[in-house]
Structure formats: structure tokens, C-alpha cells
Amino acid sequence: MGTFSDAVTAAGYGQIIPPLLEDIGVFHRVGEATDVVTKEMYDFVDKGDRHIALRPEQTASVCRAFVQHGPTTPWKVWYAGPNFRYERPQRGRFRQFDQVGVEVLGVEDPYLDIEVICLAWNFFAQLGLQQVALHINSLGEPSDRERYMQALQEYFSANLETLSAASQVTLAKNPLRVLDSKRPEDQELISGAPRISDFYSPQAKAHFDTVQEGLSELGIAFVINEKLVRGLDYYRHTTFEFVGGTLESAQNALGGGGRYDGLVEALGGPSTAGVGFAIGLDRTLLACDDEGVFAPTPEDVSVFVVDITGGKEAMLITQGLRSAGVSADRAFEGRSIKSQMKLADRSGATVAIIIGPDEVAAATAVIRPLRSDREQYIVSRKDLLPSITKELS
Ligand code: AMP
């Protein structure tokens, strides 16, 4: 989480904390045709007769907040936290799971699609994951998508007898989602289906070309996956997914996102472009385990305070250092000096400050350099901060 927040904060994104509970209408308006909304939501009626849902995802809440508060655009935000979906729990699929993500509202530029893809890509790279593949696709403009859906409808309807019963039901609701079918009996028919790339308008093609060229120039490898469609009407242009190499195929998506230029409007706001992604942290950590890479350990502190008089001096000095902007840590529970020095070493601190009864009586402190051969020395307590600042410079 820290790795993610550092990266997105450095890119100009501000944190938003969407609520865990929303009026169920927020999600209904966003995804009435999806399983996430129709089958997997935890919902209840509260004491005031309001129909409430535990959030299954956070994009809808971010767009609801945008409509409600009308911030200036571009509005670049990031979030982190749990979501809830009523699913059959298995490895990589849980009823409560954590996501981190970003959303940007108010910008149509394809270079923004590249920016958000890069943020996710760099996050996986920073964790040390090597086996993450980027899949991208474009759904074109709304009218391209409309013509494509019609072509799919005609194609699947003409071959109805070879389509699985479940996919026939899906076809009646949304022909795009038939392409998501993992059923073996559907695969041959799907592989012969019309391709979205044959339906792009010149503008849609130019947008997608810019995204591909930009990713190539940045050295980010990708594959075009024309089956990467999102069933909902407000998705357009770029869609993308990060696929983990070590996870089972039904749960191998570590994260995904895309453009949803019609979503704010669906929630009652003005026509506003949007793009974003969500990354599943639970699956990302499973992938880290599988690849034998682990989330970075906490950053080293600069100073470790060793107090063998009970702990109060460590409290005063640690708080004083932190207020002055110096990172510092200490031990608790009155440990022996030997044990505290071990912790000091493990903390990665550059120097230790040691306080015993003699130092308290004389209003002094011992400074011991931990990463050089220099001897420890005594300073007066009032000179402690300048001496430490000098040690660390
Ligand atoms: P989605 O919001 O469905 O596009 O999912 C985005 C990411 O969240 C996925 O790629 C997964 O990594 C993660 N995710 C979604 N549903 C679950 C779940 N039930 N359990 C664990 N992770 C999930």
C-alpha cells in the first residue's frame, strides 16, 4: 500500500476515501447487467428504510462524489481499501478483498490512458514481479461499439445451436459478454467471431494507435487481446488488464481498467471523460509469494534511541526527533541494553542515542555511530539535535 501511495502521490494524485456503504442505486446505475451488481452485492435495508449496499468496487463511488461535489478537472484521485462481493471463496477470490486504484475525470487525451497504465505497470515492477503481462484492447467510439454488437448478435444468432446454453442466456442480455465465456464448447465459435478492430472509426483508431505507440516508446510490452471487452455501455476506447503468470486462469487478473467516458453521465452528472484502474491486492500478494518476491520491508530509520532508565527518556527524545523531521524508533518493555542494541542494528539506523542513569543525572546523551568505526561520544542534552543533524548530514 505504501509503495502504491508513494508512486501515485508523486504523480499528482490525491487520496479519496470512498464510503463502505452507498445507496444501492449508485451501483445499480453503474452495472445493472453485470454479475457483480446483480448477483454478488451484499445489500440490506437499514432502520430508516434505505436500501444500502456494501461497496463491491469503488469507481462508482468516486464518480458519485464527483457528481455531488463538482471538483475542478482534471480530477486525479487514488484510493485503497476493502470491497465486498458475494462469491464462492477460493484461492485468489474472496468475499472481502482489498483494492488500490486510480481514477481521472475530465480528460480525453490518450496520453492519460498511457499514464495510468504506467502507474500500474511500475507498481508491479517495484514489487519485483516479473511475470505480469499487459493485455490491451479498444472498444472504439460508442457508435463503433454499437455496430460491433449488432454484428456479434447476428453472428451468434446464426450459430445458436453450437453456443452453450449459458452463453445463449448471456447473448440475450449482451452479446459482448459472450466473448468472456470460458466454456470449452464456445471457444471455436468465439474464435471465428467478428473482430472489434474491423469496426473502429478513424478517431478510435488514432486514439488506440497513440496508446500503443506510447507504450512501445516507454518499453512497456503488451499484447492486444480483442476479447478484453467490458460489457457496460459506458466503457469506450482503451481497456486493459494485468495478467499474473503464476495464478490459475479464472483468478489470474491482478488488475484491470479502462476508459469509461459515459459513467459520470449515467450517474446524473455532466458528460465527463474518465479513465482508471483497480488492482486486487490479495491476488498481487499471492503472485508475490509465487514468484518469491516480497513487499519491501519498512524503511530504515535514521536514529534508534536506547534508554536503560525505564523508557521515559526514549519517549522524550524520540518525539523530539520526529517533531524535528528526523526518523526515529525505540524499544519498549524495558529491555536490556544488549537487546536494545540488537534492535538498533536491525532498524538500519545510522546512529544510536544511549541514555543511562549517568546521562540523566548529567543532562547528557551518548551518540554511537552504528555504521562506521568511529567511537561513541557524549554531548549535552541541549546539543543533542544539532549533533544528530550533523551526524546524519
Ligand atoms: P474488477 O473490479 O472486477 O475489475 O477487479 C479488479 C481486480 O480486483 C481484479 O483484477 C482482481 O485482482 C481483484 N478482485 C476482484 N474480485 C475479487 C475477489 N472476489 N477476490 C479477490 N480479488 C478480487
Side-chain angles (χ1 to χ4, degrees):
M1 205 98 97
T3 308
F4 185 80
S5 72
D6 288 350
V8 291
T9 303
Y13 291 68
Q15 187 177 11
I16 181 167
I17 306 180
L20 288 170
L21 304 177
E22 284 275 4
D23 186 288
I24 199 163
V26 171
F27 301 114
H28 275 161
R29 279 194 288 282
V30 161
E32 59 222 327
T34 63
D35 285 354
V36 169
V37 167
T38 53
K39 297 196 197 134
E40 295 168 5
M41 270 205 298
Y42 282 90
D43 61 315
F44 61 96
V45 176
D46 76 2
K47 292 193 179 87
D49 256 352
R50 286 169 285 253
H51 197 171
I52 304 290
L54 276 173
R55 67 180 184 208
E57 54 102 37
Q58 297 178 58
T59 307
S61 300
V62 171
C63 291
R64 192 266 308 140
F66 178 84
V67 173
Q68 196 172 348
H69 303 290
T72 48
T73 55
W75 197 48
K76 297 169 74 170
V77 294
W78 68 275
Y79 59 78
N83 302 326
F84 306 85
R85 293 183 192 174
Y86 192 77
E87 304 205 65
R88 193 168 63 79
Q90 52 205 291
R91 185 176 142 88
R93 191 173 295 280
F94 310 108
R95 291 182 181 157
Q96 175 174 344
F97 60 97
D98 273 273
Q99 283 184 338
V100 292
V102 304
E103 313 291 349
V104 185
L105 293 170
V107 181
E108 285 178 19
D109 194 327
Y111 286 111
L112 179 62
D113 307 18
I114 301 172
E115 171 169 308
V116 298
I117 291 172
C118 274
L119 285 171
W121 178 265
N122 291 341
F123 172 62
F124 293 124
Q126 253 189 313
L127 293 177
L129 287 172
Q130 310 254 333
Q131 299 182 46
V132 180
L134 168 62
H135 290 196
I136 61 170
N137 192 21
S138 167
L139 296 172
E141 305 265 337
S143 56
D144 306 342
R145 195 191 140 101
E146 200 56 46
R147 285 184 297 122
Y148 179 54
M149 280 180 49
Q150 217 164 341
L152 277 181
Q153 184 78 52
E154 282 162 18
Y155 171 78
F156 286 124
S157 301
N159 296 281
L160 212 52
E161 68 289 352
T162 38
L163 204 59
S164 67
S167 289
Q168 292 187 22
V169 175
T170 311
L171 180 64
K173 290 190 202 151
N174 188 335
L176 273 179
R177 296 199 50 228
V178 176
L179 299 178
D180 279 340
S181 163
K182 300 253 177 351
R183 288 175 197 85
E185 63 267 40
D186 291 335
Q187 295 316 307
E188 204 183 319
L189 195 57
I190 289 176
S191 64
R195 300 165 70 96
I196 180 81
S197 51
D198 292 330
F199 292 78
Y200 293 152
S201 61
Q203 298 89 319
K205 186 169 181 317
H207 188 112
F208 197 31
D209 284 348
T210 304
V211 171
Q212 291 177 56
E213 281 159 22
L215 291 173
S216 299
E217 266 193 55
L218 292 170
I220 297 180
F222 61 86
V223 290
I224 295 179
N225 176 355
E226 292 204 27
K227 282 202 244 158
L228 196 61
V229 292
R230 300 233 160 188
L232 302 173
D233 284 350
Y234 49 77
Y235 281 109
R236 49 201 71 159
H237 291 298
T238 318
T239 57
F240 53 92
E241 195 162 87
F242 294 91
V243 180
T246 60
L247 302 165
E248 272 179 43
S249 67
Q251 275 87 237
N252 67 356
L254 300 180
R259 262 200 180 274
Y260 48 83
D261 292 356
L263 179 51
V264 170
E265 227 173 336
L267 283 163
S271 162
T272 308
V275 61
F277 65 74
I279 292 173
L281 285 187
D282 310 78
R283 277 186 206 173
T284 301
L285 289 173
L286 282 175
C288 286
D289 278 348
D290 290 345
E291 288 200 34
V293 297
F294 297 96
T297 46
E299 292 228 348
D300 291 349
V301 291
S302 300
V303 180
F304 197 93
V305 184
V306 173
D307 175 2
I308 43 177
T309 69
K312 187 171 146 195
E313 298 302 319
M315 172 189 80
L316 294 170
I317 294 173
T318 310
Q319 294 308 327
L321 288 168
R322 289 178 185 164
S323 305
V326 178
S327 64
D329 200 2
R330 54 163 294 177
F332 292 95
E333 299 180 328
R335 289 170 177 244
S336 70
I337 183 162
K338 196 166 152 217
S339 155
Q340 291 194 49
M341 288 310 299
K342 240 191 228 168
L343 289 174
D345 190 47
R346 217 185 295 156
S347 75
T350 313
V351 288
I353 295 173
I354 305 169
I355 306 283
D358 292 350
E359 285 72 32
V360 173
T364 58
V366 172
I367 293 180
R368 183 185 295 184
L370 295 175
R371 314 288 156 193
S372 79
D373 301 334
R374 281 184 301 117
E375 291 291 317
Q376 65 181 40
Y377 55 97
I378 298 174
V379 296
S380 75
R381 275 290 273 275
K382 67 175 173 29
D383 292 335
L384 186 55
L385 186 58
S387 307
I388 287 293
T389 311
K390 204 162 138 219
E391 275 291 338
L392 298 176
S393 61

